[in-house]
Amino acid sequence: MDVFVYGTLTDLDRAAAVLGADRFRDRGSTRLYGLRRVDGRYPTLAPGGHVDGRLLRTERIEALDRYERVATGLYVRVSVPVNGDGEGCAAVYVGDPKRLDTAEPVEWSGEGSFVKRVEHYVRENRVAIERHD
């Protein structure tokens, strides 16, 4: 599975510590369109703009879910299309701005849970990842 990273895991040494040095592959620089980085206790994403990051390939998604604290709701994992040559989709982790004390207000409009609002925004606004080969 591909994963778009935009924070601490862009440091490949940190990614190796989380995933295991031989358990992921760096697929290079990418840009995520439709979401932008917002800093707080940890970085997260907010509607609009774009953010540069890296695409990693790993089968250790459960390790990433633990690292991003998905079970506690600190981050949610959503699927975002990767444009070009049938690349498919990549996982993207989005942190709950209310729990991360973001430096600026972040609003995810709509109804339902945080993950449902993020998924709705990603789908309705054609959020996508572009590879930089």
Side-chain angles (χ1 to χ4, degrees):
M1 169 179 273
D2 286 333
V3 180
F4 174 82
V5 295
Y6 57 91
T8 58
L9 294 174
T10 59
D11 175 351
L12 297 180
D13 289 334
R14 183 71 184 144
V18 172
L19 297 169
D22 61 342
R23 305 292 301 270
F24 79 98
R25 183 167 55 99
D26 177 22
R27 298 199 60 216
S29 297
T30 55
R31 180 170 281 170
L32 174 64
Y33 289 93
L35 297 172
R36 61 188 166 82
R37 180 178 162 150
V38 175
D39 290 320
R41 188 165 39 119
Y42 302 110
T44 188
L45 298 170
H50 66 271
V51 61
D52 291 327
R54 304 195 74 72
L55 204 58
L56 305 179
R57 178 160 288 167
T58 185
E59 296 303 320
R60 305 232 26 238
I61 200 70
E62 73 286 344
L64 289 171
D65 283 355
R66 278 192 305 277
Y67 180 75
E68 302 291 2
R69 298 186 226 164
V70 170
T72 68
L74 186 62
Y75 281 79
V76 298
R77 177 171 31 100
V78 295
S79 184
V80 173
V82 179
N83 289 339
D85 299 331
E87 293 280 340
C89 292
V92 176
Y93 289 89
V94 179
D96 184 342
K98 292 178 179 153
R99 295 186 56 198
L100 295 175
D101 302 319
T102 56
E104 62 184 85
V106 175
E107 281 298 318
W108 290 94
S109 62
E111 297 183 16
S113 67
F114 177 60
V115 69
K116 293 293 182 199
R117 288 180 286 141
V118 173
E119 289 172 338
H120 181 264
Y121 179 88
V122 165
R123 184 178 56 253
E124 295 301 313
N125 292 279
R126 296 191 173 147
V127 172
I129 298 166
E130 296 281 342
R131 295 198 53 210
H132 297 253
D133 290 330

